[in-house]
Amino acid sequence: MGYAPYMDEKVYRMAVRQLRNVARILGLEDEVVEALMHPERLIQVKIPVKMDDGSIRVFLGWRSQHNSALGPYKGGVRYHPEVTVGEVVALSMWMTWKNALAGLPYGGGKGGVRVNPKALSRRELEELSRGYFRAIARFVGSDIDIPAPDVYTDPQVMAWFLDEYSKIVGYDDWGVVTAKPYLLGGLKTRITSTGYGVALVAREAAKKVLGGFEGKTVAIQGFGNVGRWAMYYAIEWGAKVIAVSDSKGGIYNPDGLNFNRLVEVKEKTRSVINYPEGRKISNRELLELDVDILIPAAIENVITEENADRIKAKIISEGANGPVTPEADIILKEKGVVDIPDILANAGGVIMSWIEWCHNKMGCWLKDEDALKRLDEKMSMNFDTVYSEWTSKYSDEPMRTAAYAIAVSRVVKAMKLRGWI
Ligand code: NAD
């Protein structure tokens, strides 16, 4: 197999290690691993932007189209000053598994632009977004590759993507991106959907291992799109959220935190640590609290071999991508912690994107409650499938192994049916 520069990157090597591990368990041939190690297509684009001061700056962007055996590529676009090609390729591989596990008619893709969007004016951001999409336009489309938001991209960026694409092809291909603003074919429930799913799988796991969800204590790291809505639904379904955090630190109250009050404090003061009725704690303390359920919903690699042994939660629902390292996975399993892997727990967003895309294809719109009902059914069913596969076949391994085994086998089966391998 040839060499590509992204193969030297740590994050890419971790993704391949996970693939090799599941391939060993499933008894897959080396040639299958080789066929899945690399993206089917990797696009690098140069995006010149005329800055407000008249100068021209050039940004680099990528779109990695990992695998299309199950359908068009699907996955977000991230704007971040440290995005690398290896990260984009690894994330596109994880999207292949996440979409396959969720039972969606999609392959996996991911995009990234190496930029600090917070340092751009709105006009510069718009020019960058249009420039990126123009550069990848011939490789995307509602039946080819369907981007969506990721870190530091949002429905406004999707609106610019859609508009730029429509100008190029000469019509509105509504399904070319998802998580669009409501007026442009989006769903109001998209913003809450990942957090909804993260809380839902925690609820389902609690029913199995803790005898129910009501009254159980929950700690949540991260109070962004995912953490905030996970908190909302955890409370809605009867649990008690006793700690939350953001990048500045955390707040703890054993009697429970109030959602609306916390949102207000976060909006006014920019951090949850200013919530008055509670004790300030560090992010590290939050992870190690004596709670029933822990939801890491901020960044990757927060539970490692260094702190895994001190985790007291009985259930972890991975809202973030990659919050638990492979070494920590094994320690948690030995301690009896039920860790619901990211590709299962945080799939609510892409499932809602699929519902949006189906609407766009049909030219009609569901009511919010119907969309949430579809999401609930699909996430509950997916959780049950993984849980029963785990307990019946892979009980000596972390739940992640069962999730990966299901996802990778589906992709490999589709590749075999198509005659690719
Ligand atoms: P966000 O930017 O809206 O929120 C992130 C939160 O994490 C913020 O509250 C921020 O203050 C906090 N944070 C940042 N650094 C931190 C640190 N060092 N310690 C503690 N908290 C910190 O992002 P989001 O959309 O909520 O995404 C969070 C995670 O979930 C990411 O890993 C993302 O890839 C993953 N994810 C998001 C979605 C989605 O639909 N938004 C879907 C799947 C996975």
Side-chain angles (χ1 to χ4, degrees):
M1 175 58 72
Y3 166 79
Y6 56 76
M7 292 169 79
D8 295 331
E9 289 191 43
K10 200 171 155 199
V11 57
Y12 172 76
R13 288 209 304 269
M14 179 171 143
V16 172
R17 211 164 74 215
Q18 289 169 332
L19 171 63
R20 284 198 196 286
N21 184 39
V22 72
R24 183 181 44 77
I25 289 166
L26 293 172
L28 298 177
E29 306 84 359
D30 284 351
E31 64 187 51
V32 177
V33 175
E34 293 210 338
L36 287 165
M37 263 175 78
H38 296 284
E40 291 170 4
R41 185 189 275 140
L42 178 61
I43 305 150
Q44 177 171 305
V45 298
K46 190 178 83 172
I47 316 153
V49 174
K50 184 157 188 181
M51 307 302 282
D52 290 346
D53 66 6
S55 65
I56 303 274
R57 278 188 64 192
V58 172
F59 298 92
L60 282 187
W62 298 275
R63 182 76 186 166
S64 170
Q65 299 178 329
H66 176 255
N67 187 282
S68 59
L70 287 167
Y73 311 101
K74 175 118 195 66
V77 177
R78 120 177 348 187
Y79 288 175
H80 197 277
E82 274 136 43
V83 170
T84 62
V85 61
E87 180 183 341
V88 174
V89 173
L91 285 162
S92 70
M93 193 186 298
W94 286 326
M95 283 310 299
T96 299
W97 313 143
K98 191 184 291 187
N99 293 337
L101 183 67
L104 303 179
Y106 296 136
K110 199 84 180 190
V113 179
R114 198 170 167 94
V115 59
N116 176 8
K118 290 184 185 165
L120 299 187
S121 69
R122 188 182 159 89
R123 194 204 56 78
E124 291 164 345
L125 189 66
E126 177 174 350
E127 194 172 318
L128 175 91
S129 302
R130 289 184 183 276
Y132 172 69
F133 219 69
R134 201 159 52 239
I136 64 166
R138 79 180 77 162
F139 304 105
V140 299
S142 60
D143 291 315
I144 303 169
D145 184 356
I146 307 132
D150 192 69
V151 176
Y152 295 147
T153 52
D154 60 13
Q156 175 60 71
V157 172
M158 297 307 113
W160 290 325
F161 284 174
L162 169 77
D163 186 66
E164 194 62 27
Y165 190 73
S166 305
K167 281 184 193 154
I168 292 168
V169 295
Y171 63 97
D172 282 323
D173 184 8
W174 296 107
V176 68
V177 288
T178 55
K180 299 176 290 292
Y182 182 66
L183 266 177
L184 297 177
L187 290 173
K188 286 180 185 153
T189 43
R190 174 62 181 85
I191 190 78
T192 59
S193 55
T194 305
Y196 184 98
V198 170
L200 182 148
V201 293
R203 180 190 77 191
E204 295 306 297
K207 284 188 204 158
K208 305 242 188 235
V209 299
L210 302 175
F213 190 62
E214 256 181 67
K216 298 295 178 291
T217 53
V218 182
I220 303 178
Q221 182 185 45
F223 199 62
N225 279 331
V226 180
R228 179 179 299 209
W229 294 107
M231 176 182 184
Y232 177 88
Y233 286 107
I235 293 173
E236 175 102 346
W237 296 328
K240 189 158 74 165
V241 177
I242 62 170
V244 299
S245 68
D246 55 30
S247 57
K248 303 207 174 69
I251 190 84
Y252 167 73
N253 183 336
D255 296 327
L257 301 165
N258 179 286
F259 177 79
N260 290 331
R261 185 107 177 77
L262 206 52
V263 170
E264 197 184 45
V265 169
K266 173 84 181 169
E267 261 151 38
K268 274 200 188 131
T269 71
R270 309 188 70 82
S271 177
V272 296
I273 58 171
N274 300 313
Y275 183 90
E277 294 95 35
R279 175 165 73 78
K280 287 192 182 69
I281 55 171
S282 66
N283 263 293
R284 185 193 158 119
E285 282 174 273
L286 178 134
L287 294 171
E288 296 171 16
L289 280 177
D290 191 1
V291 285
D292 296 307
I293 298 161
L294 174 63
I295 299 183
I299 51 167
E300 63 286 347
N301 293 343
V302 292
I303 303 175
T304 65
E305 58 193 326
E306 193 274 313
N307 63 354
D309 207 34
R310 294 194 297 277
I311 301 294
K312 297 184 195 69
K314 296 161 201 82
I315 293 171
I316 298 176
S317 179
E318 296 183 4
N321 281 317
V324 175
T325 64
E327 296 76 21
D329 233 0
I330 294 163
I331 302 171
L332 293 173
K333 169 68 192 151
E334 278 165 6
K335 279 166 61 83
V337 179
V338 173
D339 177 15
I340 311 162
D342 47 8
I343 61 166
L344 172 63
N346 70 29
V350 71
I351 294 174
M352 194 55 88
S353 274
W354 164 68
I355 298 170
E356 176 182 332
W357 178 82
C358 291
H359 282 177
N360 297 152
K361 291 249 156 217
M362 292 186 297
C364 63
W365 272 257
L366 275 180
K367 284 195 216 131
D368 289 347
E369 46 291 15
D370 296 330
L372 268 187
K373 191 162 165 273
R374 291 298 302 273
L375 173 68
D376 196 298
E377 284 163 3
K378 200 144 182 57
M379 288 285 303
S380 307
M381 196 177 74
N382 292 347
F383 176 81
D384 283 345
T385 306
V386 175
Y387 192 84
S388 72
E389 188 86 350
W390 178 47
T391 47
S392 62
K393 283 200 203 156
Y394 302 103
S395 56
D396 292 339
E397 300 267 345
M399 197 193 291
R400 195 178 319 277
T401 304
Y404 265 73
I406 296 170
V408 174
S409 336
R410 283 182 183 162
V411 174
V412 170
K413 251 184 223 158
M415 288 169 78
K416 286 197 170 146
L417 283 168
R418 283 173 180 262
W420 292 357
I421 47 175

